[in-house]
Amino acid sequence: KAASTAWRRSTRGTSNARMVLDRVPKGSKYGLEEKYTEVDRLQASGDFAGALAALDGDDSAPALARKARWMGEWAKGNKDLDTDAQVAKIRESIEIAIQAVERDPEYAPGHRALAMCKGRIIDFLGTREKIQASKDLKDAIDKSLVIDPDESASWHVLAKWNVGLGKFGWMERTAIKLIYGQLPPASYEEAIRCFERAEECWSNSCNLYEMGQTYLLMGKKAEAKAAFEKAVAASDELPVYREAIANAREALAKNF
């Protein structure tokens, strides 16, 4: 009970990039199993310990993908962990995501989980490792979108990748050329296109808030304001949606 409470407390207010309820890819052999629907609801409520306990002993691709993603989220947002402990847990989540991909290479959320876990460790890495993790993220999310091109969360992750590369300085861009072979065609404009595609697949306040933030980076305040206003008016059904709505309200108050 104490551990469950700690997980719930430490995960409040974690990244609004989180997409809580996994959709099963079109044609998936796994189907819409009630077990995973209930597990997703537990995680959406903030009960990470309960959700993980429900997955105990399940080494299928859907279970491993969830374990990886949720462990990484918990570690990145847990202020009670020191940096070394955070990094260790995120690296563990990466290994679990790799297992999910190996278990079923055709399960799109497995590749997406790997991309998200790679994204969480980037802030803790040096320049060269950071760029390599960014490349690994891009490779994983591309594979996810090949399998399921209509997955909103994957387009969201790809949009964030474009934003991240757009923020890199000249030293990091030099490393990018060495690791990627050339500068990839990443841009804020491409990020907006990906957020728009994410919205077409599954409209939600997370996409709209991040779109507004990207427009601010581009100096397009009118477009940013419109995106934030749409985010505020969007569904607040899930905790992650409510977090994005609160962030959008704060952005409106701060910038307009």
Side-chain angles (χ1 to χ4, degrees):
K1 182 176 180 180
S4 178
T5 301
W7 275 80
R8 285 196 295 270
R9 182 176 63 251
S10 65
T11 54
R12 289 170 185 161
T14 53
S15 170
N16 56 46
R18 182 175 64 204
M19 294 299 174
V20 177
L21 298 176
D22 278 359
R23 290 195 305 109
V24 176
K26 294 181 179 64
S28 171
K29 62 191 175 188
Y30 296 102
L32 292 170
E33 297 179 30
E34 181 61 29
K35 175 181 180 179
Y36 296 121
T37 301
E38 180 57 30
V39 165
D40 286 341
R41 287 184 182 135
L42 285 171
Q43 191 270 346
S45 72
D47 186 2
F48 275 53
L52 289 168
L55 293 173
D56 189 41
D58 187 344
D59 62 353
S60 67
L64 291 169
R66 284 168 170 79
K67 289 176 185 178
R69 187 163 54 82
W70 297 345
M71 180 183 292
E73 289 167 7
W74 174 77
K76 187 70 181 283
N78 189 344
K79 300 186 185 304
D80 294 331
L81 296 179
D82 61 28
T83 299
D84 289 343
Q86 280 185 307
V87 171
K89 277 296 181 184
I90 295 172
R91 289 193 186 280
E92 184 179 349
S93 75
I94 291 172
E95 292 304 313
I96 295 172
I98 290 172
Q99 292 174 31
V101 169
E102 291 175 344
R103 186 57 51 90
D104 187 351
E106 296 304 311
Y107 185 62
H111 294 284
R112 173 161 53 89
L114 179 56
M116 296 176 78
C117 292
K118 287 286 185 176
R120 290 191 188 98
I121 204 166
I122 283 176
D123 290 342
F124 300 101
L125 304 176
T127 298
R128 189 174 182 85
E129 284 185 305
K130 182 183 296 186
I131 303 305
Q132 183 60 59
S134 171
K135 185 177 185 302
D136 294 342
L137 184 163
K138 179 63 161 54
D139 290 344
I141 210 63
D142 282 349
K143 290 175 183 175
S144 175
L145 285 167
V146 166
I147 298 167
D148 185 358
D150 297 322
E151 174 49 56
S152 176
S154 293
W155 284 107
H156 184 104
V157 173
L158 183 56
K160 294 284 285 182
W161 175 85
N162 274 274
V163 172
L165 253 65
K167 292 180 178 178
F168 283 162
W170 69 268
M171 185 178 296
E172 291 164 322
R173 287 178 178 274
T174 300
I176 289 173
K177 289 181 181 178
L178 292 174
I179 293 173
Y180 280 82
Q182 61 181 358
L183 282 174
S187 66
Y188 293 150
E189 290 78 12
E190 182 62 15
I192 292 296
R193 189 188 75 80
C194 291
F195 281 130
E196 289 174 342
R197 184 72 179 91
E199 276 292 281
E200 290 174 4
C201 298
W202 179 19
S203 181
N204 61 76
S205 58
C206 298
N207 293 330
L208 292 163
Y209 167 69
E210 294 291 354
M211 189 183 300
Q213 289 291 82
T214 306
Y215 275 130
L216 283 182
L217 291 171
M218 299 167 70
K220 296 186 174 183
K221 295 196 70 173
E223 290 87 344
K225 183 179 181 182
F228 291 142
E229 289 175 342
K230 287 180 181 177
V232 169
S235 169
D236 64 352
E237 179 182 6
L238 298 176
V240 67
Y241 294 169
R242 294 192 287 274
E243 182 183 351
I245 289 169
N247 289 337
R249 285 200 180 101
E250 183 179 340
L252 284 168
K254 179 180 178 180
N255 296 285
F256 304 98

